[in-house]
Amino acid sequence: MLKVGILFGGPSREREISFAGGRTVYDNLNKTLFEPVPIFVDSLRNFVLLNWQHIYKGTIRDFYPPVAFLPDSPHRFQVYLESLGSMDEQTLNRMIATVGQKITLEELPRLIDFAFLTLHGSYGEDGVIQGILQGLGIPYSGSGILPSAIGMNKAFQKRLLSACGRPTPQFITVSRHEWQTRARQDEIFRLAQQLGGDKLVVRPANQGSSIGVSIVDKADKTLFIRAVQKGFFLYSMTKGEWQALSPDGQVACIRNLVDIREGIGLPVLSGRKTIYHPEELMEFIDRYFYEHDKPLLLEGADSESEVVIEEFIEGKEFSCIVVRNTDGRPLALPPTEIIKGGEVYDYRSKYLAGLSRKVTPINLPPEKIENIRKACEELFDFFGFHVYARIDGFIKADGTIYLNDPNTTSGMLPSSFFFHQAAEIGLNPSQFLTYIILTSLEERIRSGAGNIRIVRLREQLSNELILMRSGAKRKRKVAVLLGGISTERHISVESGRNIYEKLASSDKYEPVPVFLTGTLEEHQLYKIPVNILLKDNADDIREKIITFRQHPVLDAIKRAARGITDKYAYESPLFEPIQITYEDLATEVDAVFIALHGRPGEDGRVQSKLDALHVPYNGSGVYSSRITINKFETNQILKQHGFKVAGQTLVLKDDFLRHPQKIIQQVVSKHGFPLIAKPVDEGCSSAVKKIASEEELKYYLLMAFRDASQPDKKLADALKLKPKEEFPQLQTVLVEDFITRGNAKYFMEITCGMLTHMADDGTIQYEVFEPSETLAGGEVLSLEEKFLAGEGQNITPARLGANEEEYRFITSCVKKDLERAAKILHIEGYCRIDAFVRVTKDMQVETIIIEVNSLPGMTPATCIFHQAALSGYTPYAFIDKILEFSFKKHKVEHY
């Protein structure tokens, strides 16, 4: 079995995507063939053999630096290692030892046979790590040193493409030194105005994930200067701008400013002053504007040396994965069209489910698609790429193709282009990773970077692959039910994909993805192939099912890729959706894993249909599901059993429309301000808002009770909704008291998962996990903080208590409360409960329950996996326990 070292994290601004991609590879590696070895590279380039539990944290900041090493932060800023400033080696080693084992480069060859690189940006894609590994004699994934260096620098790429006569947007490059010579800025602006088109794209030369990219009107000098500064990670502000912000506004400004993706990051430079921590930065800005009236210029220490300014190409945007075929020639997979609104395709749009759409293949005539593929294959050879590359570009209406951003390391999130396009030829993520590893071994040998050890590794893996294919055993079939019709449908797809991938890489289960659509009363079920499963969001999946047709280009690519699929696909892949019934499910699968969120998955409807057919399923039964879907009913039942809950009021649509002012006055009189408004039966932070005034409450209720399906723009602006943020139409709004600290010694919002076990006599035992502390950047926990890679922070276990003794006492009280609530609500299988915890000075513990999720989110980095890991369960083991409980429960109930 090959030991595959997965290198992830790193010093670049893309470290969170790298971290999430490393987790994807760790989970999806075929455990029959490979032993995954997680090697975390921190932002100071230390190598850490990471304890596996930390792989399932939501962000790097959730575990590193460890909480015990963080300085006090009154504003609860979230920081990376570099914010700790200089640190002696002994302290650094002590810190690393809390999350894993520090290793030297010389130790790598005895720890791993192969390095799978998911590092992005500097030190990952620029040839540096490739050179280090080559010197150590360790084979690695992807391209070698020179093509990696070329693929990293966008300015050099453009100069090379232009020199060779390939279609390239008109562009200029600007060095940091040139830009900081203020006399040159007017000249640079004049040169930029001479470029073609009406708009300009400004981008850093050495960043990925759309970090630092802006699209500006080329006639707007103010926006142009701001865009170039963003590209260089510079930020300027005036005294008036800073002092016009409220205290909360200043905190939000600092939080955005130090964001490594959208801001300038940390450390920050001002002249000769280096600032490491956000709290220190706030104090510095206050002091600076107390002493000076002139503008303040701040620079990110992780800066950019060169910015590319180019004409904006009006055309279809696409991305294409090119792989090395079994005959040694490049093979372009079907190019994907990126469909977005007028906004920049930024970090949020790329990685948060539901904000952009990917159409594969691009919506063009077959001959134009083939032209794109041919151009990408030629560029792959031109730059000398190895194994695979992702090539981005545009095609204009006249057919001109611009290839503007070849990448030697693609993002490896579950729905990324990397897996998305491989699925079109019939490879699931686990199979595609096997292809990448074996092809990389062959590439190292072919390019002369191999040795006898690498030759033997290739032979060993080839033989094990043949044996595995010939010795396949019967597995339990599990239908993974995902999608749905609620505002939580996109997160349901993320959860379902994660469940599918965990089961697909096991030797026990055979997952079958099933998409649910239709209405609350009439469910339509479709068994879907992996290429549809990996579409970007639920709406894309539904559209693909409804409009499905065999695309001639896809057929041609499948034929060209037959050598790959015959070797790596273990069974004949499904290539078209098939509509089925619940009755069909009962005959085809051994169990159903419901990965639906909201209605109809969490309200008992699906459970009722499966019960009627005696099909085992995860989670609670009909009775409990019908209660817990409703936050008002759940809390009222708990209140009757002595639980402390937030004060609640239900606002009905008809009542509000008849007497709007009366209803508002009643709500304000009971709850005061601030208050929380939310749907009574939606989750995932959908439409949860902190309301601070009567006007804001009126806007919220008008938005919730609107007749049109799309949000009203004026109301959306008034409520500060983000682009494409969904806001459901409601019949009922739940208003709750805003829970505050009061005089408590400790106060925090927590989320806590649990797992149930069935004894031989049929009794249910509850295993309550350690609670997580949820840190919201704003007034309430946002969708991004829950599900966007690198956003938000969850600390597990929660910081309840000043020492171990206090922690154990407080959490034992909280766990007892949560277990009692679960028993009252007849929770089965597993659940997640959100609550506030208040601890008085005399150590009285209050657990104020907010909501109970009977089918909690199961996305790759969700809190429940962090908590399960502390109890010794890998995500797969946790899912396995949930399924085993469903089989036992089914046997008890029906036999």
Side-chain angles (χ1 to χ4, degrees), residues 575-874:
F575 280 116
E576 61 183 74
I578 300 172
Q579 187 165 9
I580 59 173
T581 64
Y582 280 104
E583 288 73 19
D584 294 328
L585 275 185
T587 62
E588 291 185 24
V589 302
D590 300 300
V592 172
F593 198 106
I594 307 169
L596 302 167
H597 303 312
R599 299 183 189 273
E602 289 188 82
D603 63 0
R605 283 181 168 90
V606 171
Q607 291 83 350
S608 178
K609 292 180 181 294
L610 296 175
D611 278 343
L613 295 166
H614 308 303
V615 179
Y617 58 85
N618 59 305
S620 295
V622 175
Y623 172 78
S624 180
S625 298
R626 285 176 177 167
I627 293 172
T628 54
I629 188 71
N630 187 302
K631 299 179 183 72
F632 180 80
E633 186 177 353
T634 297
N635 279 15
Q636 293 308 305
I637 289 172
L638 293 176
K639 184 178 179 181
Q640 291 166 15
H641 285 81
F643 279 87
K644 188 173 182 64
V645 299
Q648 296 179 309
T649 298
L650 290 177
V651 180
L652 306 181
K653 179 177 180 177
D654 289 345
D655 292 346
F656 174 73
L657 295 181
R658 280 199 300 267
H659 306 291
Q661 198 54 39
K662 178 183 175 183
I663 294 297
I664 287 173
Q665 289 302 321
Q666 288 175 349
V667 168
V668 173
S669 176
K670 179 177 178 180
H671 297 279
F673 290 114
L675 55 82
I676 297 293
K678 63 174 77 168
V680 73
D681 58 359
E682 298 266 356
C684 295
S685 295
S686 175
V688 178
K689 297 291 178 184
K690 180 182 176 184
I691 305 296
S693 67
E694 288 190 19
E695 184 179 46
E696 199 173 348
L697 178 60
K698 181 181 75 172
Y699 291 150
Y700 184 96
L701 295 172
L702 286 172
M703 175 69 90
F705 297 144
R706 70 192 187 279
D707 291 327
S709 60
Q710 294 301 314
D712 179 277
K713 188 175 187 312
K714 289 184 179 179
L715 293 176
D717 290 344
L719 293 171
K720 299 177 182 176
L721 300 188
K722 295 183 177 72
K724 299 184 183 178
E725 181 179 344
E726 291 201 52
F727 199 107
Q729 293 172 269
L730 303 173
Q731 296 298 314
T732 307
V733 165
L734 177 61
V735 175
E736 291 183 335
D737 289 341
F738 182 74
I739 298 171
T740 60
R741 171 185 287 271
N743 295 319
K745 179 179 181 180
Y746 303 117
F747 173 73
M748 69 176 58
E749 184 177 359
I750 65 156
T751 182
C752 191
M754 64 181 71
L755 181 65
T756 66
H757 307 275
M758 184 171 286
D760 292 338
D761 62 0
T763 57
I764 295 177
Q765 300 164 341
Y766 290 79
E767 180 181 1
V768 185
F769 296 146
E770 297 298 316
S772 297
E773 175 184 353
T774 58
L775 301 179
E779 295 168 332
V780 296
L781 200 64
S782 68
L783 185 70
E784 289 88 344
E785 287 173 314
K786 284 188 174 183
F787 300 110
L788 180 59
E791 192 77 24
Q793 186 173 15
N794 294 286
I795 296 174
T796 309
R799 294 173 292 184
L800 286 165
N803 52 52
E804 184 69 15
E805 184 180 357
E806 278 194 353
Y807 174 82
R808 289 299 164 200
F809 172 75
I810 295 168
T811 54
S812 68
C813 294
V814 172
K815 288 181 178 182
K816 285 177 184 176
D817 286 342
L818 298 182
E819 181 175 345
R820 188 164 73 91
K823 289 178 177 177
I824 291 167
L825 298 168
H826 301 283
I827 292 293
E828 294 174 321
Y830 66 120
C831 77
R832 192 194 79 230
I833 300 179
D834 298 338
F836 283 92
V837 175
R838 265 198 301 238
V839 184
T840 63
K841 292 178 181 177
D842 59 354
M843 297 302 287
Q844 297 297 308
V845 180
E846 292 181 344
T847 307
I848 307 165
I849 293 176
I850 302 301
E851 62 180 275
V852 178
N853 294 272
S854 62
L855 293 176
M858 299 287 272
T859 59
T862 191
C863 265
I864 203 165
F865 287 135
H866 313 176
Q867 297 163 9
L870 285 183
S871 294
Y873 300 110
T874 65

Side-chain angles (χ1 to χ4, degrees), residues 406-444:
N407 294 266
T408 53
T409 299
S410 176
M412 293 188 188
L413 272 67
S415 62
S416 68
F417 297 113
F418 185 74
F419 297 122
H420 182 91
Q421 293 178 18
E424 296 290 353
I425 61 171
L427 296 184
N428 68 30
S430 181
Q431 294 160 354
F432 192 40
L433 291 175
T434 301
Y435 157 81
I436 292 295
I437 292 171
L438 185 51
T439 308
S440 294
L441 288 170
E442 292 168 348
E443 193 71 62
R444 300 288 83 82

Side-chain angles (χ1 to χ4, degrees), residues 200-252:
L200 297 170
V201 180
V202 182
R203 67 175 80 235
N206 294 284
Q207 302 292 331
S209 296
S210 297
I211 289 172
V213 177
S214 302
I215 297 175
V216 297
D217 184 323
K218 74 176 191 179
D220 192 321
K221 185 176 180 180
T222 301
L223 290 180
F224 175 79
I225 290 173
R226 195 177 301 163
V228 177
Q229 284 190 317
K230 180 180 178 182
F232 281 122
F233 304 105
L234 301 170
Y235 184 83
S236 62
M237 72 171 73
T238 65
K239 184 174 184 176
E241 289 169 340
W242 177 251
Q243 294 183 343
L245 296 172
S246 66
D248 287 345
Q250 290 180 348
V251 172

Side-chain angles (χ1 to χ4, degrees), residues 33-315:
L33 299 171
F34 307 112
E35 177 189 343
V37 181
I39 297 176
F40 172 65
V41 183
D42 73 15
S43 46
L44 299 181
R45 305 186 183 189
N46 296 298
F47 281 59
V48 182
L49 182 59
L50 196 66
N51 296 337
W52 68 264
Q53 292 90 340
H54 299 300
I55 296 167
Y56 298 105
K57 298 294 188 180
T59 77
I60 293 168
R61 294 172 301 186
D62 285 349
F63 71 93
Y64 197 80
V67 171
F69 290 82
L70 292 174
D72 289 337
S73 177
H75 298 99
R76 306 182 85 172
F77 288 118
Q78 303 159 16
V79 298
Y80 292 101
L81 176 62
E82 52 265 36
S83 286
L84 303 190
S86 59
M87 184 183 301
D88 63 80
E89 190 166 347
Q90 185 178 7
T91 304
L92 177 65
N93 291 341
R94 195 157 43 86
M95 184 182 71
I96 290 174
T98 65
V99 300
Q101 175 189 341
K102 186 178 179 182
I103 55 178
T104 64
L105 292 175
E106 291 72 23
E107 291 176 294
L108 274 181
R110 70 172 177 81
L111 293 172
I112 64 175
D113 299 313
F114 180 90
F116 201 109
L117 302 179
T118 68
L119 295 168
H120 290 271
S122 60
Y123 203 66
E125 293 181 79
D126 56 4
V128 174
I129 193 67
Q130 289 82 359
I132 291 170
L133 292 167
Q134 205 151 300
L136 293 170
I138 299 173
Y140 52 87
S141 60
S143 285
I145 300 169
L146 180 59
S148 295
I150 293 171
M152 180 71 182
N153 190 295
K154 296 172 180 62
F156 181 75
Q157 291 166 14
K158 289 187 179 300
R159 294 186 190 107
L160 192 57
L161 289 170
S162 181
C164 294
R166 293 177 179 267
T168 307
Q170 295 183 52
F171 71 97
I172 58 173
T173 60
V174 181
S175 71
R176 188 180 187 85
H177 174 73
E178 287 178 298
W179 184 253
Q180 289 181 317
T181 306
R182 295 197 62 83
R184 292 286 325 270
Q185 291 187 9
D186 288 341
E187 181 185 347
I188 292 166
F189 179 58
R190 282 196 300 273
L191 289 172
Q193 286 181 300
Q194 295 169 17
L195 299 174
D198 297 322
K199 291 185 285 188
L200 297 170
V201 180
V202 182
R203 67 175 80 235
N206 294 284
Q207 302 292 331
S209 296
S210 297
I211 289 172
V213 177
S214 302
I215 297 175
V216 297
D217 184 323
K218 74 176 191 179
D220 192 321
K221 185 176 180 180
T222 301
L223 290 180
F224 175 79
I225 290 173
R226 195 177 301 163
V228 177
Q229 284 190 317
K230 180 180 178 182
F232 281 122
F233 304 105
L234 301 170
Y235 184 83
S236 62
M237 72 171 73
T238 65
K239 184 174 184 176
E241 289 169 340
W242 177 251
Q243 294 183 343
L245 296 172
S246 66
D248 287 345
Q250 290 180 348
V251 172
C253 175
I254 295 295
R255 187 171 282 116
N256 293 332
L257 183 59
V258 302
D259 190 305
I260 59 174
R261 300 149 304 171
E262 296 299 322
I264 63 175
L266 287 166
V268 166
L269 307 178
S270 177
R272 295 184 179 180
K273 172 76 172 173
T274 303
I275 302 161
Y276 293 96
H277 197 279
E279 299 286 358
E280 183 187 2
L281 181 58
M282 276 197 75
E283 293 173 6
F284 174 81
I285 294 173
D286 277 335
R287 188 168 62 252
Y288 178 89
F289 285 130
Y290 178 78
E291 298 172 354
H292 304 90
D293 289 324
K294 61 183 180 181
L296 171 64
L297 178 67
L298 300 171
E299 305 178 41
D302 178 15
S303 60
E304 181 60 54
S305 60
E306 196 170 21
V307 159
V308 179
I309 302 164
E310 61 185 330
E311 64 172 312
F312 178 84
I313 301 297
E314 293 286 356

